[in-house]
């Protein structure tokens, strides 16, 4: 696969169809993979993929539309947010590297700051300062607290003015590794077991590196679920995560009912699990017929 | 994936580099996936893929070159063969159907018969008579027995003259389902166990439909192997075959060391096993990022 960046741009409208369509249309130069709106959060995630320059340009186009159409002074929603264009993460895919994603984040940050007048904080791998790595820290105080935060010398934005855009607030632009939302459903209605397994499995409490996990209840199915983000599935493959959950569940005699993978995932992650379970020796990526044909086109 | 045919054309030279390169070059209008020559068999398998019309045209181009360059009167090799272009099977992939493959086989058969003067037998799914379905039956007597065979009223060729081409013999052209050569290596040097498992696993002796199997010895690794052709892996998926072998091996306390998949396989076969082992509910083909991007291009 050539150099590609995925961008999961989050903007602060999940209710007005006209706005959502207009913003998705602004990304029509690249491949839009998903437009997922949540009315309660009043927020939309627009996922698109393209060569680095095109993905970065599309992010600026969509942002310009969002700044024009969304007034944060009117915005209400459950999800934390600080701007009309709230978050723009770039994710390297194929031959693209993290440096490509960071370069795109910086370029987009400068365009938003200089051309659209929106203060920009660089976060995660693109962060210029360690205390801006974590998105939750960057967004603390949300839109309503922005003016005070930007007056703080520790929170001079990386690009753009030192005051909020009057209607669009501020934007966090970053770079991160591709993550997989991966859920494992257990044959029990006891959510405490899912919570206990989540603690056993996640990095923070002694489990697998690169795994964030919590136990939740799927009410409509009366099943407990270990709900996970695998934040670096290239180093912590899905089969290892599933088998670790299965192993922990076995001590309670509870089988795995099924799993869920949300959104698109790169072929290489599928092949990793395929090779493991089928025990295939020396299976090459180019043995996938479509991959070969796709590379040729 | 659009309508595509795979063609695994077998020609009777596995030794002369210049001939092999010239024949592979004759397929340059389509995507060549593999050129695999065996000097002992004195035979080459040239695998290419393309839209039905282009794949059929490429098969005729390659055949014309083979007829020009290969003299069967000089040919020696271990593998059964009856012509310079020995076998041309067409395999439907993507949106292509078996009817597309059969149509291509007939068109190519007519071209070889009428334009190149090579007698052609249609075999397998393209066969016009049931006794010509099995390739081994069609090829019985090989090149040396061709003149006698063609004089037999039961073996009037489907296309072309009733005598062998003076240097190129005859050709079998057919259509079949995509097959996977799938081998399972066992943690034993006792080939009798592999042979017993092969009998347990194969369709002919009461095992899994669509599986042909034999037990062989991998001398260089001192491992016994169940060597299989899964002749319809879309209905008998690889995970089912592997787990059936594993189950039979367990009665002897013998683990599976590893497996081998020879050549390219369609993504859908990989996803089938991925879904089974990872127990993914509702995983869609278009969740493979590259598949989505590939369809778009």
């Amino acid at each position: 696969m050539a150099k590609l960046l995925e961008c999961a741009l989050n903007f602060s409208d999940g209710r007005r169809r006209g706005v959502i369509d207009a913003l998705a249309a602004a990304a029509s130069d690249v491949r839009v993979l998903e437009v997922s709106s949540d009315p309660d959060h009043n927020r939309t995630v627009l996922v698109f993929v393209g060569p680095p320059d095109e993905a970065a340009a599309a992010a600026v186009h969509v942002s310009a539309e969002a700044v024009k159409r969304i007034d944060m002074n009117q915005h209400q929603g459950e999800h934390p947010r600080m701007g009309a264009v709230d978050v723009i993460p770039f994710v390297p895919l194929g031959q693209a590297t993290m440096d490509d994603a960071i370069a795109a984040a910086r370029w987009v940050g400068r365009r938003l700051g200089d051309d659209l007048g929106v203060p920009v904080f660089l976060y995660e791998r693109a962060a210029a300062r360690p205390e801006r790595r974590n998105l939750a820290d960057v967004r603390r105080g949300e839109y309503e607290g922005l003016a005070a935060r930007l007056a703080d010398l520790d929170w001079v934005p990386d690009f753009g003015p030192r005051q909020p855009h009057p209607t669009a607030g501020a934007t966090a632009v970053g770079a991160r590794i591709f993550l997989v939302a991966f859920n494992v459903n257990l044959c029990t209605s006891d959510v405490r077991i899912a919570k206990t397994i989540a603690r056993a499995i996640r990095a923070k409490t002694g489990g697998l590196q690169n795994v964030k996990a919590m136990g939740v209840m799927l009410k409509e199915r009366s099943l407990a679920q270990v709900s996970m983000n695998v934040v670096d599935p290239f180093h912590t493959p899905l089969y290892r995560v599933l088998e670790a959950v299965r192993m922990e569940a076995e001590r309670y005699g509870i089988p795995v009912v099924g799993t869920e993978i949300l959104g698109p995932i790169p072929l290489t992650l599928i092949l990793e699990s395929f090779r493991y379970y089928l025990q295939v020796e020396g299976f090459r990526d180019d043995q996938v017929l479509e991959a070969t044909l796709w590379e040729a086109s």
Side-chain angles (χ1 to χ4, degrees), chain A:
Chain A
M1 192 162 49
K3 277 197 180 202
L4 291 173
L5 294 182
E6 185 192 67
C7 180
L9 188 149
N10 288 232
F11 62 83
S12 293
D13 198 319
R15 295 175 186 165
R16 293 178 296 165
R17 180 47 51 196
V19 172
I20 296 165
D21 289 347
L23 268 63
S28 62
D29 285 349
V30 290
R31 174 79 177 173
V32 174
L33 295 181
E34 207 178 329
V35 184
S36 166
S37 298
D38 186 317
D40 295 331
H41 291 178
N42 197 9
R43 183 182 185 84
T44 295
V45 182
L46 173 63
V47 183
F48 52 86
V49 174
D53 290 357
E54 296 175 26
V60 173
H61 288 152
V62 175
S63 298
E65 279 296 312
V67 169
K68 201 161 63 184
R69 291 170 180 268
I70 299 172
D71 182 355
M72 290 305 291
N73 302 298
Q74 314 296 322
H75 186 269
Q76 290 190 315
E78 285 169 26
H79 197 285
R81 78 287 178 272
M82 62 177 183
V85 189
D86 196 49
V87 195
I88 309 180
F90 286 98
V91 175
L93 289 175
Q95 301 298 316
T97 63
M98 187 53 73
D99 283 345
D100 295 319
I102 292 170
R106 288 189 185 143
W107 186 83
V108 168
R110 180 163 295 285
R111 296 275 68 73
L112 264 65
D114 291 359
D115 303 348
L116 303 179
V118 175
V120 167
F121 298 104
L122 295 173
Y123 79 102
E124 273 205 33
R125 298 298 186 96
R129 306 183 188 189
E131 66 273 20
R132 296 184 183 182
R133 288 210 145 218
N134 185 341
L135 179 61
D137 294 336
V138 170
R139 201 159 47 192
R140 189 154 297 136
E142 299 193 39
Y143 176 70
E144 290 73 12
L146 259 185
R149 165 154 272 205
L150 284 162
D152 182 341
L153 275 178
D154 284 341
W155 288 94
V156 175
D158 294 294
F159 301 105
R162 279 195 65 188
Q163 56 276 349
H165 184 284
T167 54
T171 301
V173 184
R176 61 167 170 77
I177 297 170
F178 186 89
L179 68 80
V180 178
F182 183 49
N183 302 325
V184 178
N185 300 331
L186 302 174
C187 193
T188 177
S189 58
D190 186 346
V191 73
R192 289 171 307 173
I193 292 177
K195 287 179 191 292
T196 303
I197 294 174
R199 278 192 296 274
I201 215 74
R202 70 187 172 203
K204 201 165 67 173
T205 47
L208 282 169
Q209 186 65 290
N210 299 313
V211 174
K212 297 177 178 185
M214 58 183 182
V216 299
M217 192 64 200
L218 298 186
K219 286 186 195 123
E220 69 281 13
R221 294 176 68 185
S222 289
L223 292 180
Q225 178 183 80
V226 182
S227 176
M228 293 175 285
N229 274 330
V230 184
V231 297
D232 183 352
F234 301 98
H235 286 99
T236 306
L238 296 178
Y239 72 79
R240 193 177 301 153
V241 176
L242 171 59
E243 294 308 324
V245 171
R246 196 194 306 284
M247 186 193 74
E248 296 291 336
E250 270 168 9
R251 83 188 268 181
Y252 309 102
I254 293 174
V256 169
V257 169
T259 70
E260 301 169 2
I261 293 173
L262 307 181
I265 66 172
L267 180 57
T268 179
L269 298 181
I270 291 167
L271 294 180
E272 197 75 19
S273 288
F274 177 75
R275 287 189 183 96
Y276 173 79
Y277 286 114
L278 269 194
Q279 296 179 246
V280 202
E281 300 173 358
F283 188 81
R284 303 182 319 276
D285 286 13
D286 68 5
Q287 282 184 262
V288 182
L289 193 61
E290 287 85 349
T292 305
L293 298 171
W294 182 68
E295 288 293 344
S297 65

